Structure formats: structure tokens, C-alpha cells
Amino acid sequence: YLKVKLTLALTSPDLVIEIDSKKPQVRDRILSYLSSLSMADTKGIAGKEAIRENIAKRVNRMLSKGKVRDVFFQEFILQ
């Protein structure tokens, strides 16, 4: 079980509109990725850094008006 709440830091304020318009696709892309992870993938600082990088890469592929600069975890619960 993995529960994650996150915030995306964006390169442009205009990007908020694009992300809002693609919210279902962004959410699906993130959830699909997180569902594919094993317990070992989620452990430790290195695991969380890899998750951050992979979320940013996956979302950035969908964007045309800027990029995700960083991913911040507000919650990261692993059971």
C-alpha cells in the first residue's frame, strides 16, 4: 500500500492552466507509474528521488507550455 500526496513545481505560471486541463491524464500517468513500483523501489532516499524524477519525466512528456521543475511529497505513506 502506497499513499502519496504531491505538489508539482512548474517552470511557468501559464502551465497551471495546461495541467488543469489535462488533470485526468496527469493523474492517470502518475497513478499508473506508482502502481508499477515494487516495495523495494519505494524505500530510502534514493527510491524517493527516483520516484520524483520519474513522475516529472512522465508528466513533462504531456506538456507543451513548460515543464515540471520539481516534485514535492506532502505525504508518502508505505505499508
Side-chain angles (χ1 to χ4, degrees):
Y1 172 79
L2 176 64
K3 180 179 180 181
V4 174
K5 284 188 182 181
L6 55 88
T7 299
L8 302 175
L10 309 174
T11 59
S12 165
D14 297 332
L15 196 51
V16 173
I17 296 167
E18 183 178 5
I19 287 197
D20 279 345
S21 72
K22 295 178 179 178
K23 192 178 258 183
Q25 296 94 328
V26 169
R27 186 178 172 92
D28 179 70
R29 181 96 27 122
I30 292 171
L31 289 174
S32 294
Y33 167 65
L34 292 174
S35 297
S36 74
L37 297 173
S38 70
M39 287 289 270
D41 294 331
T42 62
K43 297 212 173 178
I45 294 171
K48 288 182 181 79
E49 275 305 312
I51 293 169
R52 279 189 178 101
E53 290 172 16
N54 282 304
I55 288 172
K57 283 180 193 174
R58 282 169 168 72
V59 174
N60 282 337
R61 286 187 211 135
M62 304 172 63
L63 304 175
S64 61
K65 297 181 180 177
K67 293 200 176 284
V68 172
R69 188 184 50 203
D70 208 344
V71 176
F72 299 105
F73 295 120
Q74 274 72 55
E75 262 186 273
F76 196 98
I77 300 170
L78 184 61
Q79 288 183 329

